């Protein structure tokens, strides 16, 4: 059950996690193996890159605050939060950050509605995320959404992110490893 505290929507911190999407509570779906494997592989690659630059975690709850809107919980599959946004020394603020992650990654699940995914993308970007990465295991593609537009990546390409300079990941290899 949602609790409305001042200008913030709050849900209990237990699985299945609940997000606020398109003006309603939305429970995160349980992952199948490939979904979880993609999360794990991407998180490992991002964590290696992020050393000394920021934090990376799986299913990390953010209190996302788009300007002029209610603060709402979103729980990206993977999040990168730069030390420029929340300092390395501020471990308490990093637990459930007020604001958007620097980069949010969503691995699509079979039951995801396109309208819900689009709302999350718009909310993250409006609230300050530099990029939202959408991973589609069905088409084996990755879309990187930034305020300037969308970039697509597929097998034979290297995933790069402006928000993570120097990060590079072979897309074909990522999807191949997700089947192991």
């Amino acid at each position: 059950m949602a609790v409305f505290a001042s200008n913030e929507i709050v849900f209990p911190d237990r699985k299945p996690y609940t997000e606020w999407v398109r003006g309603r509570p939305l429970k995160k779906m349980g992952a199948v193996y490939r979904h979880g494997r993609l999360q794990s592989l991407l998180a490992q690659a991002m964590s290696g890159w992020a050393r000394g630059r920021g934090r990376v975690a799986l299913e990390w709850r953010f209190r996302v605050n788009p300007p002029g809107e209610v603060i709402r919980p979103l729980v990206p599959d993977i999040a990168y939060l730069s030390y420029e946004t929340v300092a390395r020394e501020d471990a308490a603020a990093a637990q459930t950050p007020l604001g958007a992650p620097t980069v949010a990654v969503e691995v699509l699940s079979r039951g995801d509605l396109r309208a819900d995914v689009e709302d999350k993308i718009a909310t993250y970007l409006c609230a300050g995320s530099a990029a939202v990465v959408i991973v589609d295991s069905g088409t084996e593609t990755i879309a990187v959404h930034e305020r300037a537009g969308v970039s697509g990546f597929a097998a034979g390409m290297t995933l790069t992110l402006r928000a993570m300079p120097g990060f590079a990941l072979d897309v074909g290899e990522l999807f191949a490893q997700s089947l192991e």
Side-chain angles (χ1 to χ4, degrees), residues 65-80:
N65 57 339
E69 296 183 31
V70 67
I71 298 167
R72 83 268 329 253
L74 286 178
V75 184
D77 289 326
I78 308 164
Y80 161 64

Side-chain angles (χ1 to χ4, degrees):
M1 173 180 290
V3 176
F4 294 88
S6 126
N7 191 34
E8 183 170 357
I9 298 165
V10 180
F11 293 104
D13 189 20
R14 63 176 177 255
K15 289 189 175 185
Y17 297 120
T18 304
E19 301 177 297
W20 190 259
V21 178
R22 291 196 304 142
R24 73 194 199 294
L26 181 66
K27 295 213 183 279
K28 293 276 292 184
M29 305 188 98
V32 297
Y33 173 76
R34 192 168 192 205
H35 184 282
R37 179 80 169 136
L38 282 165
Q39 276 183 294
S40 175
L41 292 167
L42 279 163
Q44 287 173 26
M46 291 172 68
S47 291
W49 174 88
R51 279 190 199 102
R53 296 178 170 118
R55 299 170 172 88
V56 173
L58 298 166
E59 296 186 355
W60 184 4
R61 180 185 304 270
F62 283 77
R63 295 164 46 231
V64 179
N65 57 339
E69 296 183 31
V70 67
I71 298 167
R72 83 268 329 253
L74 286 178
V75 184
D77 289 326
I78 308 164
Y80 161 64
L81 184 64
S82 73
Y83 287 144
E84 291 175 3
T85 304
V86 174
R88 178 188 311 215
E89 300 78 25
D90 200 350
Q95 292 307 304
T96 308
L98 175 60
T102 308
V103 175
V105 179
E106 295 288 348
V107 179
L108 296 180
S109 297
R110 229 177 245 149
D112 285 338
L113 297 176
R114 188 72 205 161
D116 291 341
V117 174
E118 289 172 1
D119 183 74
K120 285 184 186 184
I121 293 166
T123 300
Y124 283 126
L125 292 176
C126 182
S129 289
V132 181
V133 179
I134 304 298
V135 180
D136 188 336
S137 63
T139 61
E140 296 193 347
T141 58
I142 298 173
V144 177
H145 298 260
E146 300 167 304
R147 285 186 243 3
V150 181
S151 302
F153 298 88
M157 299 175 77
T158 301
L159 173 65
T160 58
L161 300 162
R162 282 175 234 191
M164 296 172 60
F167 177 81
L169 186 65
D170 182 299
V171 175
E173 183 66 21
L174 170 71
F175 284 111
Q177 286 183 12
S178 74
L179 295 169
E180 295 177 354

